[in-house]
């Protein structure tokens, strides 16, 4: 046997290119009353996938906008019937529970009945989450070989509901168990060609990634407890605010580091292992810098448009501003909305993906040479449920 | 043409990386034009035999991040999402890439599986059909059934909640703060209700109230609640006009329109935003579509309530001329600016006025619903 070879990930997508692509897609989506969004998402994915390479070979996204559109139509057929009937029946139940609420409990029961509409969507949302990952894998190739995922969306949805309930009942203490088992459920059903992935590791190990969440909570409670006990109002305000920010950063840290742990404990066919070292600080800084740049640009553009509006209004001395000015303001307004979307893809989403790819390594990559092709997956609803329920974001 | 000169000078040749679509192994290949210039020949020691890809079948991957490279596949009937060979040929040689890009326009062609058109049509018809069926047939029918199933008690409670909300919306600080109940006015109102409903089965204990607010309006809430707003009584020229509006609202009560509408809106609310999705300005589209849908139902409900009101006036021997005057006034107030009918929740006022007058022309002997003294008392119910 030759020595084990490490293959690094590399991301080469450019901000300018993806900004241009995102903006084009957003404009076309606007002018087609939203229909182009399926083709648009597909084009952006093709760009991002082909920007990522492992061992010098680029990934490929083979999905088509058309199949996404067709899947969406299928999902609409189902969801229109389900949503319409379920929501109406729940409102009916809610009305029957309706009283002039006299006790606190009655008020809570009533609010719950009306919010059941959202809860009735939860199984479908989870179903859509699994189906979306399955679709994306089925349309991802590397070295011409398909990735894939077994069926199992309902199994995922019901297990996820169970884990959520357990996490809620334990006040979040079992969150690592939920994260681990849900990821394991998916990973153990994932394939590259004819070779299966498996998720190793232990859920208890994820508590390390959660440490900043616990610190944040401790700071908040300490601030409240000490503040009340010693009547120190300053403490009562400052510590909870500090704790709150610490908690937010803690959640981002948990997301990034649980991903890292769950990736390094994955294996492909018992032969290929992985390493992932994303930095929480890099992810947070990307958010902050991207956010600042976008805000500043939006601020400048808005100020220019505002000045224009004030000046033209002043000229007309109270009369209606000219059509040209109104049109310019309208275009400017829509342009800001579309531009902010494209800019956040270019300055926040893509750099974070790039960071994840750049810090990824596959160990013993030469074992991949003998992995064989798998049969094509029809793609079921091609993510139609996720699109209809609007989950999954820009990519 | 560029490619002819290039081809003449020397047959195209170069290196590439090839993935055969069967294993993840990498093949370093020589790529060249076949002697007959009709195909690309891909050859390597690691391939069992040279491959021949006809030039018209070549396709390039689009939206590729590295635009100096070309990833080729070929058009071929397969079970894949697109009719493409799973094999891939990656070319990085600038001369070769440039030659292919300039000489092979079919590289960017997109191909569809046969039968795709039928597939699109079938799904589109199914989706539009299902949405239309649910919005226009199932939800209204279900709403009607459920509205009848709601116990009277519940419906009255719901009605109280709705009127209380309306009262607060009109600026009341507490429930009942806007109620008008001058005894003489109250007696006149009761007499009017009595005369209209005499000998009729309404199905509810009517609860008619007047709110002290200048708005020209009246509404029926679930469970037999009817509210007249003071502005309406102030603007009416005769008691007959007020009686006609009251009869119209009683029409809504009898057909349970308010309850039915609340249920139907609950069912259709999410569906439109589901379809239109998260587009810039999508909220506006959803609002307009929602308005069109709701107004279509409520216009029909308004027409039915108008017809019911005219019948009620005829039975009670009250002239519907006042109703006509009232709509004329409304039409004037709209001042020629009215929403187009498909966007408005009510039929056009002029049309409704004409109907009321047509009805009045055919009426037998009529008598005013209130005496002059009673009418003045009703006008001062809020004082």
């Amino acid at each position: 046997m030759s020595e084990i070879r490490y293959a690094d990930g590399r991301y080469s997508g450019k901000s300018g290119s993806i900004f241009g692509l995102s903006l084009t897609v957003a404009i076309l989506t606007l002018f087609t009353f939203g229909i182009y969004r399926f083709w648009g998402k597909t084009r952006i994915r093709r760009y991002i996938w082909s920007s990522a390479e492992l061992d010098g070979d680029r990934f490929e996204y083979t999905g088509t906008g058309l199949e996404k559109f067709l899947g969406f139509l299928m999902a609409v057929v189902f969801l229109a019937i389900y949503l319409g009937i379920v929501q109406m029946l729940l409102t009916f139940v809610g009305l029957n529970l309706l009283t002039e609420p006299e006790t606190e409990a009655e008020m809570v029961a009533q609010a719950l009945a009306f919010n059941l509409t959202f809860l009735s969507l939860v199984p479908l949302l989870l179903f859509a989450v699994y189906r979306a990952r399955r679709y994306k894998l089925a349309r991802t190739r590397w070295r011409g070989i398909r990735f894939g995922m077994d069926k199992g969306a309902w199994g995922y949805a019901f297990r996820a509901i169970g884990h959520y309930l357990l996490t809620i009942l334990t006040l979040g203490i079992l969150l690592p168990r939920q994260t681990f088992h849900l990821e394991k459920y998916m990973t153990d059903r994932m394939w590259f060609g004819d070779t299966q992935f498996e998720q190793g590791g232990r859920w208890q190990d994820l508590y390390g990634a959660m440490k900043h969440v616990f610190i944040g909570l401790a700071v908040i409670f300490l601030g409240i407890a000490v503040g009340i006990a010693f009547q120190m109002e300053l403490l009562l305000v400052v510590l909870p605010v500090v704790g709150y920010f610490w908690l937010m950063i803690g959640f981002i840290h948990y997301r990034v580091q649980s991903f890292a742990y769950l990736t390094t404990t994955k294996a492909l066919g018992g032969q290929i292992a992985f390493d992932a070292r994303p930095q929480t600080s890099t992810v947070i800084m990307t958010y902050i810098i991207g956010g600042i740049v976008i805000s500043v640009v939006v601020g400048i553009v808005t100020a220019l448009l505002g000045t224009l509006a004030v000046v033209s209004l002043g000229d007309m001395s109270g009369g209606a501003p000219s059509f040209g000015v109104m049109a310019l303001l309208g275009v400017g307004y829509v342009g800001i909305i579309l531009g902010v979307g494209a800019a956040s893809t270019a300055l926040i989403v893509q750099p974070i993906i790039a960071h994840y790819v750049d810090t990824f390594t596959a160990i013993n990559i030469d074992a991949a040479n003998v992995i064989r092709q798998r049969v094509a997956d029809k793609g079921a609803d091609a993510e139609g449920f996720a699109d209809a329920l609007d989950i999954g974001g820009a990519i | 043409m560029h490619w002819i000169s290039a081809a003449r000078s020397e047959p195209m040749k170069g290196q590439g990386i090839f993935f055969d679509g069967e294993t993840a192994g990498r093949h370093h290949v020589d790529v060249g034009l076949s002697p007959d210039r009709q195909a690309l020949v891909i050859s390597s020691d690691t391939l069992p035999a040279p491959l021949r890809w006809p030039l018209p079948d070549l396709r390039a991957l689009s939206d590729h991040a590295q635009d100096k490279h070309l990833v080729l596949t070929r058009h071929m009937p397969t079970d894949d999402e697109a009719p493409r060979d799973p094999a891939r040929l990656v070319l990085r040689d600038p001369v070769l890439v440039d030659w292919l890009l300039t000489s092979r326009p079919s590289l960017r062609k997109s191909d569809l599986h046969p039968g795709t058109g039928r597939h699109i049509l079938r799904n589109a018809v199914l989706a539009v059909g299902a949405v239309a069926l649910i919005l226009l047939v199932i939800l209204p029918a279900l709403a009607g059934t459920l509205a009848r199933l709601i116990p009277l008690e519940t419906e009255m409670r719901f009605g109280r909640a709705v009127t209380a909300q309306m009262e607060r919306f009109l600026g009341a600080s507490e429930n009942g703060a806007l109620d008008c109940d001058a005894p003489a006015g109250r007696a006149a109102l009761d007499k009017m209700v009595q005369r209209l409903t005499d000998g009729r089965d309404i199905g509810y204990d009517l609860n008619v109230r007047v709110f002290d607010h200048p708005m020209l309006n009246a509404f029926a809430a679930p469970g037999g609640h009817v509210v007249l707003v003071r502005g309406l009584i102030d603007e009416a020229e005769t008691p007959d006009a007020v009686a006609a509006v009251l009869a119209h609202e009683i029409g809504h009560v009898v057909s349970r329109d308010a309850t039915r509408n609340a249920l139907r809106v609950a069912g259709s609310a999410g569906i439109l935003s589901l379809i239109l999705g998260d587009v810039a300005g999508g909220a506006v589209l959803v609002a307009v579509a929602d308005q069109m849908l709701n107004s279509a139902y409520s216009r029909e409900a308004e027409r039915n309530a108008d017809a019911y009101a005219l019948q009620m006036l005829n039975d009670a021997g009250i002239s519907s001329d006042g109703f006509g005057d009232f709509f004329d006034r409304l039409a004037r107030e709209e001042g020629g600016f009215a929403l187009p009918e498909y966007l408005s929740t009510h039929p056009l006022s002029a049309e409704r006025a004409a109907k009321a007058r047509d009805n009045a022309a055919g009426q037998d002997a009529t008598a005013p619903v209130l005496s002059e003294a009673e009418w003045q008392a009703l006008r001062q119910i809020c004082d």
Side-chain angles (χ1 to χ4, degrees):
Chain A
M1 288 293 285
S2 56
E3 64 182 296
I4 288 178
R5 200 160 66 80
Y6 287 61
D8 288 330
R10 198 172 81 87
Y11 190 89
S12 59
K14 294 183 192 66
S15 299
S17 309
I18 201 156
F19 179 79
L21 182 59
S22 303
L23 197 61
T24 310
V25 160
I27 292 169
L28 286 171
T29 302
L30 182 69
F31 282 115
T32 54
F33 300 103
I35 292 178
Y36 192 76
R37 67 184 188 272
F38 308 102
W39 283 266
K41 217 175 206 181
T42 300
R43 291 184 63 185
I44 291 175
R45 280 184 189 167
R46 272 193 215 134
Y47 182 85
I48 290 178
W49 264 239
S50 67
S51 298
E53 55 185 81
L54 179 65
D55 200 25
D57 297 317
R58 287 166 188 273
F59 284 81
E60 180 187 345
Y61 181 75
T62 60
T64 67
L66 181 64
E67 66 178 358
K68 271 179 81 63
F69 178 55
L70 290 174
F72 169 78
L73 290 177
M74 261 168 57
V76 162
V77 172
F78 178 82
L79 284 173
I81 294 171
Y82 176 83
L83 272 185
I85 293 178
V86 166
Q87 292 200 8
M88 187 186 282
L89 288 177
L90 285 171
T91 307
F92 177 72
V93 173
L95 281 183
N96 277 318
L97 290 177
L98 182 81
T99 49
E100 280 100 324
E102 280 155 18
T103 65
E104 202 78 346
E106 276 178 358
M107 228 145 100
V108 172
Q110 215 167 302
L112 262 184
F114 280 106
N115 282 312
L116 275 177
T117 347
F118 171 72
L119 291 183
S120 73
L121 277 180
V122 168
L124 283 177
L125 287 168
L126 292 164
F127 173 86
V129 165
Y130 187 94
R131 274 280 183 95
R133 190 192 284 199
R134 182 178 149 207
Y135 173 71
K136 272 184 277 202
L137 280 167
R139 296 296 178 261
T140 300
R141 296 186 198 187
W142 182 69
R143 291 189 177 178
I145 300 296
R146 300 182 185 94
F147 285 81
M149 196 162 169
D150 295 331
K151 290 175 184 160
W154 286 120
Y156 178 81
F158 291 124
R159 279 173 181 78
I161 290 172
H163 280 295
Y164 287 174
L165 289 177
L166 206 59
T167 302
I168 292 170
L169 288 178
T170 57
L171 302 175
I173 291 172
L174 287 185
L175 179 64
R177 189 173 180 277
Q178 169 193 315
T179 311
F180 179 83
H181 282 295
L182 289 181
E183 182 58 31
K184 182 171 171 61
Y185 182 88
M186 295 220 233
T187 304
D188 289 350
R189 282 163 183 74
M190 280 162 49
W191 298 77
F192 174 60
D194 62 353
T195 309
Q196 198 164 11
F197 283 90
E198 64 262 7
Q199 180 71 57
R202 300 157 61 232
W203 64 269
Q204 291 88 342
D205 292 349
L206 283 176
Y207 278 113
M210 245 182 120
K211 66 178 177 219
H212 288 294
V213 172
F214 291 128
I215 295 175
L217 286 174
V219 171
I220 293 177
F221 286 123
L222 194 75
I224 293 174
V226 174
I228 289 175
F230 298 96
Q231 297 288 315
M232 294 163 76
E233 284 186 12
L234 190 67
L235 222 54
L236 200 55
V237 175
V238 172
L239 280 189
V241 170
V242 171
Y244 175 77
F245 280 104
W246 203 310
L247 187 66
M248 290 299 107
I249 290 172
F251 276 120
I252 297 176
H253 182 74
Y254 179 69
R255 262 215 340 248
V256 176
Q257 296 312 321
S258 63
F259 169 84
Y261 175 79
L262 291 166
T263 303
T264 50
T265 48
K266 278 182 177 61
L268 179 59
Q271 294 280 319
I272 299 174
F274 306 101
D275 189 35
R277 303 191 176 181
Q279 298 295 313
T280 308
S281 54
T282 307
V283 172
I284 292 176
M285 283 316 280
T286 308
Y287 274 116
I288 293 175
I289 293 173
I292 290 175
V293 170
I294 293 171
S295 317
V296 167
V297 173
V298 168
I300 292 172
V301 174
T302 312
L304 287 176
L305 286 175
T307 314
L308 177 71
V310 168
V311 167
S312 63
L313 277 175
D315 279 355
M316 312 302 286
S317 55
S322 72
F323 177 76
V325 173
M326 290 303 282
L328 194 62
L329 289 177
V331 169
Y333 172 72
V334 175
I336 288 175
I337 294 180
L338 299 184
V340 166
S344 51
T345 305
L347 297 178
I348 298 176
V349 178
Q350 177 168 271
I352 288 177
I353 293 175
H355 179 60
Y356 278 111
V357 174
D358 286 335
T359 53
F360 174 85
T361 304
I363 302 161
N364 190 24
I365 195 67
D366 290 328
N369 290 344
V370 295
I371 290 178
R372 302 192 62 81
Q373 184 66 291
R374 61 186 289 104
V375 291
D377 181 339
K378 290 269 179 231
D381 65 328
E383 238 180 354
F385 278 92
D387 283 326
L389 296 169
D390 200 20
I391 51 175
I395 295 141
Chain B
M1 270 162 54
H2 178 71
W3 68 272
I4 294 180
S5 58
R8 264 187 198 146
S9 58
E10 202 182 314
M12 276 324 291
K13 256 190 157 82
Q15 267 80 46
I17 292 172
F18 182 72
F19 301 109
D20 61 10
E22 287 169 21
T23 69
R26 201 194 269 143
H27 301 271
H28 293 273
V29 292
D30 292 314
V31 182
L33 200 58
S34 66
D36 61 1
R37 299 181 185 280
Q38 298 301 309
L40 219 51
V41 175
I42 303 162
S43 55
S44 161
D45 299 342
T46 56
L47 286 175
L51 292 162
R52 187 188 153 85
W53 281 12
L55 295 182
D57 291 350
L58 294 183
R59 298 288 182 270
L61 302 188
S62 56
D63 291 311
H64 199 260
Q66 179 47 274
D67 49 15
K68 299 273 192 304
H69 298 175
L70 203 54
V71 182
L72 292 184
T73 177
R74 60 185 178 138
H75 177 51
M76 190 170 119
T78 57
D79 284 340
D80 267 12
E81 45 277 16
R84 296 272 188 269
D85 189 332
R88 296 288 184 269
L89 176 63
V90 184
L91 298 177
R92 294 172 186 170
D93 183 336
V95 182
L96 200 56
V97 167
D98 193 46
W99 176 74
L100 278 162
L101 283 178
T102 46
S103 67
R104 298 254 60 93
S106 65
L107 280 182
R108 297 291 177 210
K109 217 177 129 201
S110 62
D111 309 279
L112 298 171
H113 285 295
T116 303
R118 255 178 306 144
H119 202 168
I120 299 174
L121 196 66
R122 193 196 67 196
N123 283 33
V125 166
L126 266 178
V128 171
V131 171
L133 188 73
I134 189 85
L135 287 180
L136 303 176
V137 181
I138 298 180
L139 289 186
L142 197 61
T145 313
L146 289 178
R148 276 195 296 281
L149 285 177
I150 290 185
L152 197 63
E153 280 294 299
T154 309
E155 213 180 339
M156 287 170 64
R157 270 203 306 270
F158 182 37
R160 270 202 295 281
V162 171
T163 42
Q165 204 175 21
M166 195 67 190
E167 203 174 353
R168 234 160 280 151
F169 172 73
L170 291 178
S173 49
E174 55 181 318
N175 281 351
L178 287 184
D179 255 343
C180 295
D181 48 8
R186 185 74 239 177
L189 186 60
D190 288 342
K191 186 184 166 197
M192 186 185 272
V193 174
Q194 179 59 36
R195 171 132 177 230
L196 282 172
T197 58
D198 199 21
R200 251 170 206 279
D201 180 21
I202 304 291
Y204 292 92
D205 289 333
L206 276 181
N207 178 356
V208 182
R209 298 157 74 189
V210 177
F211 279 175
D212 188 6
H213 192 275
M215 186 192 252
L216 199 169
N217 209 344
F219 59 91
H225 293 268
V226 173
V227 174
L228 301 176
V229 185
R230 197 197 71 223
L232 179 114
I233 301 176
D234 289 349
E235 288 288 318
E237 280 162 15
T238 61
D240 291 359
V242 177
V245 173
L246 189 57
H248 172 93
E249 297 306 330
I250 295 174
H252 283 311
V253 167
V254 171
S255 52
R256 301 186 164 209
D257 284 334
T259 314
R260 220 157 37 142
N261 203 42
L263 285 170
R264 196 186 51 69
V265 168
S268 62
I271 294 179
L272 287 170
S273 56
L274 181 100
I275 297 165
L276 288 167
D278 182 26
V279 197
V284 178
L285 283 177
V286 171
V288 171
D290 209 29
Q291 177 74 7
M292 284 177 77
L293 189 68
N294 284 334
S295 56
Y297 289 110
S298 77
R299 267 199 318 276
E300 201 193 325
E302 294 302 327
R303 287 213 173 88
N304 290 341
D306 279 354
Y308 185 90
L310 291 178
Q311 187 60 46
M312 211 172 198
L313 293 176
N314 292 348
D315 291 353
I318 301 171
S319 167
S320 60
D321 264 332
F323 209 15
D325 291 343
F326 179 75
F327 285 129
D328 277 342
R329 220 190 155 81
L330 220 53
R332 269 205 305 282
E333 221 149 87
E334 286 161 3
F337 175 79
L339 282 173
E341 198 181 47
Y342 53 85
L343 277 177
S344 169
T345 53
H346 287 64
L348 294 174
S349 296
E351 181 194 320
R352 299 171 80 183
K355 268 203 186 129
R357 285 194 206 293
D358 282 352
N359 180 71
Q363 275 180 316
D364 299 332
T366 56
V369 63
L370 295 179
S371 71
E372 186 56 32
E374 286 164 334
W375 173 227
Q376 290 313 322
L378 180 58
R379 291 182 71 101
Q380 280 148 27
I381 193 171
C382 292
D383 293 347

